[in-house]
């Protein structure tokens, strides 16, 4: 523990030093440029409970807590840049923000485009289905050309659906809320999304939705993402994640947002 804290403090000092002042283009800001600017620009996409709007219109959620704590520990202001999910990696690469902190699951394909940190959370893909349309369906019956799945465009859930239900039709939407609404309205048989939204909505809309499968379609590891070659930022973020994992803060925040609904009163109905 002592060694971990010393390592984190060392990186914190480096964060504000000239060690990270190596030349970089405007589209690839390094750690020193972020410190000079005084703010950390974070790209994210809104989906419950990772990031969402409260009744006042402010961003709240697990990712928001993580990014705010990271910025506070680093002596920086925070600037959130909400971005459509299917454009979040291109936006990072083009320099619109410094880092993605948005429930981005590590995949081999994404690793060709971005540099991932060590994981800071672990989730998976689950299915919620319309009771009236599918109750009693077996796994094989979901794998039919007559069945429509809804999912967020560009997410790992689309790949999970195609892997498990290759015959089913996949309807893609800009965010999870739209995808779930399609199932609630009876326009799609089921929706696949990252946990815990399927679990939460199956409780909230228990008269319409249910979980047809006990096991998740897939398990995932979420990490921060920076541009390829930005090893200084990866190193700093890795040490921060290690420190916040060691002191239990990440678990405490994850449990609050993912294993309870205590936060639900903050959001607009």
């Amino acid at each position: 523990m002592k060694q971990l804290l010393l390592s984190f403090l060392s990186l914190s000092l480096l964060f504000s030093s000239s060690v990270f002042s190596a030349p970089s283009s405007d589209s690839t800001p390094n750690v020193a440029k972020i410190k000079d600017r005084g703010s950390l620009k974070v790209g994210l996409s809104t989906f419950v409970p990772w990031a969402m709007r409260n009744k006042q219109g402010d961003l709240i959620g697990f990712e928001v807590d993580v990014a705010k704590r990271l910025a506070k520990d680093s002596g920086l202001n925070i600037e959130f840049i909400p971005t459509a999910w299917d454009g979040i990696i291109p936006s990072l690469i083009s320099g619109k923000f410094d880092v993605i902190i948005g429930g981005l699951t590590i995949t081999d394909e994404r690793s060709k485009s971005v540099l991932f940190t060590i994981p800071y959370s672990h989730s998976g893909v689950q299915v919620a289905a319309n009771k009236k349309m599918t109750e009693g369906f077996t796994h094989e019956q979901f794998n039919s050309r007559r069945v429509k799945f809804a999912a967020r465009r560009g997410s790992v859930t689309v790949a999970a659906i195609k892997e498990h239900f290759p015959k089913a039709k996949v309807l893609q939407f800009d965010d999870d809320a739209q995808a779930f609404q399609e199932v609630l309205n009876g326009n799609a048989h089921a929706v696949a999304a990252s946990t815990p939204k399927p679990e939460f909505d199956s409780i909230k809309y228990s008269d319409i939705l249910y979980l047809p499968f006990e096991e998740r379609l897939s398990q995932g590891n979420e990490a921060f993402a920076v541009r390829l070659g930005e090893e200084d930022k990866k190193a700093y973020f890795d040490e921060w994640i290690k420190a916040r994992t060691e002191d239990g803060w990440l678990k405490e925040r994850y449990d609050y947002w993912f294993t309870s609904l205590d936060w639900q009163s903050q959001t607009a109905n």
Side-chain angles (χ1 to χ4, degrees):
M1 176 66 179
K2 182 178 180 181
Q3 183 62 37
L4 177 63
L5 291 175
L6 287 173
S7 178
F8 181 67
L9 288 172
S10 297
L11 273 171
S12 296
L13 291 172
L14 287 172
F15 191 84
S16 59
S17 75
S18 61
V19 172
F20 288 125
S21 59
S24 65
S25 67
D26 289 339
S27 64
T28 311
N30 58 22
V31 172
K33 290 185 70 174
I34 296 171
K35 186 65 179 180
D36 289 342
R37 186 201 306 141
S39 65
L40 181 67
K41 295 183 179 181
V42 175
L44 48 69
S45 185
T46 53
F47 55 110
V48 179
W50 305 85
M52 53 199 161
R53 299 284 180 180
N54 64 13
K55 293 177 180 178
Q56 291 72 44
D58 300 319
L59 285 168
I60 61 170
F62 177 63
E63 305 293 7
V64 178
D65 284 357
V66 170
K68 284 182 175 179
R69 177 64 188 271
L70 171 62
K72 179 181 178 181
D73 289 348
S74 304
L76 298 168
N77 294 319
I78 187 77
E79 182 179 349
F80 291 110
I81 303 176
T83 305
W85 188 252
D86 58 346
I88 201 163
I89 288 179
S91 294
L92 171 70
I93 294 171
S94 69
K96 290 185 178 179
F97 35 80
D98 305 310
V99 59
I100 296 172
I101 304 178
L104 191 64
T105 302
I106 299 171
T107 67
D108 291 339
E109 186 63 28
R110 287 172 176 167
S111 294
K112 297 175 184 177
S113 302
V114 299
L115 182 63
F116 282 108
T117 64
I118 60 174
Y120 68 103
S121 69
H122 309 273
S123 65
V125 175
Q126 182 59 285
V127 172
N130 184 294
K131 282 184 176 180
K132 185 176 181 180
M133 298 173 71
T134 69
E135 194 164 27
F137 271 32
T138 63
H139 187 283
E140 290 73 20
Q141 286 174 303
F142 276 96
N143 186 29
S144 167
R145 292 181 177 85
R146 295 190 298 272
V147 171
K148 296 178 182 178
F149 274 87
R152 180 162 48 92
R153 183 178 290 108
S155 67
V156 295
T157 58
V158 175
I161 294 169
K162 291 181 178 179
E163 177 184 352
H164 289 269
F165 312 102
K167 295 180 181 179
K169 182 176 181 179
V170 182
L171 308 177
Q172 300 188 47
F173 301 89
D174 288 337
D175 57 48
D176 281 337
Q178 290 175 292
F180 274 80
Q181 194 61 50
E182 283 296 292
V183 181
L184 290 170
N185 292 344
N187 297 325
H189 295 77
V191 56
S194 296
T195 57
K197 186 167 175 57
E199 291 87 343
F200 286 168
D201 277 23
S202 293
I203 296 172
K204 185 177 180 180
Y205 305 105
S206 59
D207 56 328
I208 302 174
L209 300 179
Y210 75 109
L211 302 178
F213 313 119
E214 292 184 5
E215 295 185 0
R216 296 173 178 175
L217 296 187
S218 67
Q219 300 280 20
N221 296 312
E222 291 74 45
F224 299 177
V226 296
R227 286 173 283 276
L228 294 175
E230 294 186 324
E231 298 290 346
D232 59 339
K233 282 199 281 187
K234 170 179 163 53
Y236 180 78
F237 295 148
D238 281 350
E239 289 302 319
W240 184 87
I241 292 168
K242 290 176 184 176
R244 297 290 75 82
T245 299
E246 181 68 21
D247 66 18
W249 184 85
L250 280 171
K251 183 180 187 302
E252 184 274 324
R253 288 289 81 197
Y254 187 93
D255 287 348
Y256 174 78
W257 291 105
F258 287 87
T259 67
S260 81
L261 289 175
D262 295 343
W263 48 266
Q264 199 170 44
S265 62
Q266 302 176 51
T267 61
N269 294 325

